[in-house]
Amino acid sequence: MSEESAKVRRAVVGRVVSDKMQKTVTVLVERRVKHPLYGKIITRSAKYHAHVEDGGAAAGDLVEIEECRPISRTKTWKVTRVLEKARVI
């Protein structure tokens, strides 16, 4: 019964575009969708504020974020793992 009542949480992959806040990063998530009438592939994007406990994610990193309970007015996501660190030139 506990397995049935467990909530399925959305998880998406995106790129960190800002890490200027404390314990918060802004993640840009892009998805490719097909236009319903013309059939052209369009890139749709959305920005989410995600909670990161320690300074684990920096600008340019590829991260996986997961939906969670509301932490603040704009934060309802948390960073679960860093998939790829940003290349420093």
Side-chain angles (χ1 to χ4, degrees):
M1 178 120 162
S2 63
E3 293 176 10
E4 295 173 10
S5 64
K7 291 202 173 196
V8 177
R9 297 190 172 160
R10 290 191 297 163
V12 292
V13 175
R15 184 128 345 237
V16 176
V17 292
S18 173
D19 61 346
K20 296 186 186 311
M21 296 171 275
Q22 295 177 3
K23 296 187 178 185
T24 305
V25 291
T26 303
V27 180
L28 179 72
V29 175
E30 292 182 334
R31 59 190 178 92
R32 294 162 56 85
V33 295
K34 191 173 185 179
H35 190 279
L37 179 62
Y38 300 115
K40 181 179 169 122
I41 302 297
I42 307 166
T43 302
R44 298 281 185 195
S45 63
K47 284 184 184 176
Y48 299 106
H49 286 162
H51 181 75
V52 57
E53 192 57 46
D54 50 355
D61 291 353
L62 190 68
V63 295
E64 180 185 58
I65 58 174
E66 182 183 73
E67 206 171 26
C68 66
R69 65 177 179 80
I71 298 168
S72 70
R73 188 176 70 153
T74 59
K75 278 200 299 188
T76 56
W77 295 84
K78 64 181 176 185
V79 175
T80 53
R81 60 190 173 130
V82 178
L83 300 172
E84 176 185 302
K85 294 300 261 182
R87 292 189 311 143
V88 178
I89 299 173

